[in-house]
Amino acid sequence: MNDPYSVLGISPGASEEEIKKAYRDLVRKYHPDNYHNNPLADLAQEKMKEINEAYDSITKGQASGNGTRHSTNSGGYANAQGGSAEFYQIRMAINTGNLAQAEQLLNAAQNRNAEWNFLMGSLFYRKGWLDEARRYYQMAVSMDPGNAEYRQALNYMNQGGQAYRPTGYPASGGCDMCDVCTAMICADVCCNCF
Amino acid sequence: MYGYIRPVKGELKVRQFEQFKSCYCSLCHTLEREYGVFARFILNYDYTFLAMLLWQDKGEPSYEFKRCIASPVKKKCSCAVTPPLQLCAGHSVILAWWKLKDTITDENIFRSIPSWIGLLFLRKAYHKARNKHPNFDLKVRTNLCELHEIESSGIVSLDGAADKFALILCASAEDVTNDTKTRALEQLLYHTGRLIYILDAYDDLEEDRAAGRYNPIVVRFSMKEKLSESDREALKTTLDHSQNLISAAFELLPENTWSEILRNIIYLGIPDTCARVLNGTWKKPQKKAPN
């Protein structure tokens, strides 16, 4: 394992608070939710594993603290447990990144039902064809409105995905913690609320 | 000068802005030194961004002070030339050449005269760049050819068209030998290329529709007079999604000399550009108050 302090980006003399803050910041960055259905999810998972090992190594022997160690399981995408046996092989191909095989199997499939549309959406998402992915997910949901997996995929596309943002880089038009704190300070000064 | 992928200047520290300019200047000097004085005119922010992404070192680069045609009296700071800058110079010459050829195919004889003149000036530079980067040249030629076929066939797929341009930008990561870095870079560059293609198409929407030229957005949304609000929202969402995939890939790259400037570009610059292109203020010079 690499030097645990350099993995967490802290100096060897860092305090417990600094270690926890560095760990939390890195978990926020590489959290599986930020790599949902992402072809690079396995790389993020490896990073999380490295971060958890570094954190464990540094805090070994200390009190368990807030128990903030995070799981390294990546979020479900084209979940192998869901779906029919008919399309199982295609799901596995997509999940393992074998997109050429998945595309071949999907094009050969006769049954173009809701699951077929969902898997086409998943394939296109992995290829980076986001607009096509959304259209196929939309078709899957319209053919099978009760299916939570398809609905979740469509909702994810409609929200434009999700990603980490570093502190101090707010989403355009949004507010970050600086704005929240500033607003609270102003409210306190103006009306003695706190 | 040109390019959609740029930092938000007001959010850079003065030191970072000076560093960014030094990289931009260095790309310009590299273009001139390796490909001649006319190659400087293809300098753009997008390839400066790429050079910073491909940078290997973490430490401060060495700097030189030079005069140039844009600053003949006062010497300007430029960082020392490195392999990523040389690669970006070569790749940008090749891409510019094939884009000029593409314009000639699409336009009538009078409107293509500036492109013919461009080809004349870039001919020697292109042949030199092609000898240095034959794989990239083949990738550009093949993908632009396939893009042209998609455009002529009237295929209604925004992604299908964007994919060809995205693959061209992706090809710049091919010389990177670290597997993790290559995969992350390829995703980052793919979605950057996709974003640039869609932004460029949106920027040219009115002109293309008026001239009857192919525009992938017009075709995809069956646009008549104007793009509806729901279609613009769909475009915004898909661009946001590409931005998110760009940032997810970026965080998997090792830190380098330019990481903080790259963060500004990815988390602030790209969203700012997308917002301005979509609200129509990109092409109009804006007087911006410092807030």
Side-chain angles (χ1 to χ4, degrees), chain A residues 66-117:
Chain A
N66 293 329
T68 49
R69 194 189 190 284
H70 285 263
S71 145
T72 53
N73 284 331
S74 55
Y77 50 86
N79 193 342
Q81 270 70 50
S84 62
E86 183 187 1
F87 292 117
Y88 175 77
Q89 200 183 357
I90 297 174
R91 279 180 183 264
M92 291 310 295
I94 293 173
N95 286 353
T96 54
N98 193 345
L99 302 186
Q101 188 197 21
E103 188 162 9
Q104 199 183 12
L105 290 170
L106 279 165
N107 288 337
Q110 301 292 324
N111 185 4
R112 306 247 160 140
N113 59 6
E115 191 178 0
W116 182 89
N117 279 282

Side-chain angles (χ1 to χ4, degrees), chain B residues 97-122:
Chain B
W97 171 267
W98 286 108
K99 279 172 93 174
L100 285 170
K101 288 208 119 184
D102 205 44
T103 307
I104 287 167
T105 319
D106 292 340
E107 298 282 10
N108 63 44
I109 190 127
F110 295 109
R111 290 178 73 94
S112 61
I113 287 173
S115 301
W116 280 111
I117 294 171
L119 282 182
L120 193 64
F121 283 124
L122 264 188

Side-chain angles (χ1 to χ4, degrees), chain A:
Chain A
M1 186 179 63
N2 291 328
D3 169 41
Y5 289 96
S6 63
V7 168
L8 294 187
I10 50 177
S11 61
S15 68
E16 191 182 328
E17 262 318 297
E18 284 167 340
I19 295 168
K20 281 185 187 163
K21 183 178 180 306
Y23 175 71
R24 278 196 298 263
D25 287 346
L26 287 169
V27 164
R28 198 165 67 84
K29 192 188 283 195
Y30 297 110
H31 196 278
D33 287 350
N34 295 332
Y35 289 88
H36 174 76
N37 207 12
N38 194 316
L40 304 177
D42 60 314
L43 298 179
Q45 202 174 349
E46 276 171 31
K47 272 303 249 203
M48 278 292 284
K49 189 166 163 240
E50 194 184 8
I51 291 159
N52 279 325
E53 283 173 1
Y55 181 69
D56 286 344
S57 160
I58 292 172
T59 57
K60 196 165 49 178
Q62 292 183 13
S64 61
N66 293 329
T68 49
R69 194 189 190 284
H70 285 263
S71 145
T72 53
N73 284 331
S74 55
Y77 50 86
N79 193 342
Q81 270 70 50
S84 62
E86 183 187 1
F87 292 117
Y88 175 77
Q89 200 183 357
I90 297 174
R91 279 180 183 264
M92 291 310 295
I94 293 173
N95 286 353
T96 54
N98 193 345
L99 302 186
Q101 188 197 21
E103 188 162 9
Q104 199 183 12
L105 290 170
L106 279 165
N107 288 337
Q110 301 292 324
N111 185 4
R112 306 247 160 140
N113 59 6
E115 191 178 0
W116 182 89
N117 279 282
F118 169 74
L119 291 173
M120 284 293 282
S122 299
L123 169 70
F124 277 115
Y125 186 84
R126 294 289 289 240
K127 279 173 68 168
W129 292 36
L130 307 177
D131 188 49
E132 294 298 319
R134 189 167 156 271
R135 284 163 61 156
Y136 278 105
Y137 286 146
Q138 208 146 35
M139 183 59 77
V141 167
S142 69
M143 289 172 93
D144 186 0
N147 190 305
E149 189 185 23
Y150 308 164
R151 191 156 281 286
Q152 188 190 29
L154 179 61
N155 288 343
Y156 191 73
M157 298 307 294
N158 285 339
Q159 86 188 30
Q162 176 182 324
Y164 160 80
R165 292 197 75 83
T167 317
Y169 291 91
S172 44
C175 70
D176 66 359
M177 283 314 295
C178 295
D179 295 315
V180 173
C181 287
T182 310
M184 287 174 71
I185 290 165
C186 290
D188 187 31
V189 166
C190 292
C191 57
N192 246 348
C193 303
F194 304 105

Side-chain angles (χ1 to χ4, degrees), chain B residues 1-2 27 31 35 37-45 47 88-97 100 122 125:
Chain B
M1 277 190 337
Y2 305 108
L27 182 57
L31 278 163
Y35 300 106
V37 74
F38 298 110
R40 295 177 60 251
F41 291 100
I42 60 175
L43 174 69
N44 64 61
Y45 290 113
Y47 270 97
C88 289
H91 284 198
S92 56
V93 166
I94 291 170
L95 186 57
W97 171 267
L100 285 170
L122 264 188

Side-chain angles (χ1 to χ4, degrees), chain B residues 169-229:
Chain B
L169 218 60
C170 231
S172 294
E174 274 177 9
D175 290 340
V176 175
T177 49
N178 174 308
D179 185 52
T180 303
K181 192 175 170 185
T182 306
R183 286 177 58 197
L185 256 180
E186 280 181 354
Q187 176 169 303
L188 197 160
L189 292 175
Y190 182 92
H191 282 280
T192 305
R194 178 178 189 266
L195 197 118
I196 292 172
Y197 183 81
I198 295 173
L199 288 176
D200 197 44
Y202 190 91
D203 230 3
D204 295 337
L205 209 50
E206 294 305 325
E207 281 175 27
D208 288 344
R209 208 181 54 79
R213 281 192 297 260
Y214 169 86
N215 185 295
I217 293 176
V218 170
V219 173
R220 161 66 178 88
F221 294 105
S222 309
M223 188 178 133
K224 298 280 181 285
E225 292 291 325
K226 274 177 72 167
L227 210 57
S228 70
E229 261 321 299

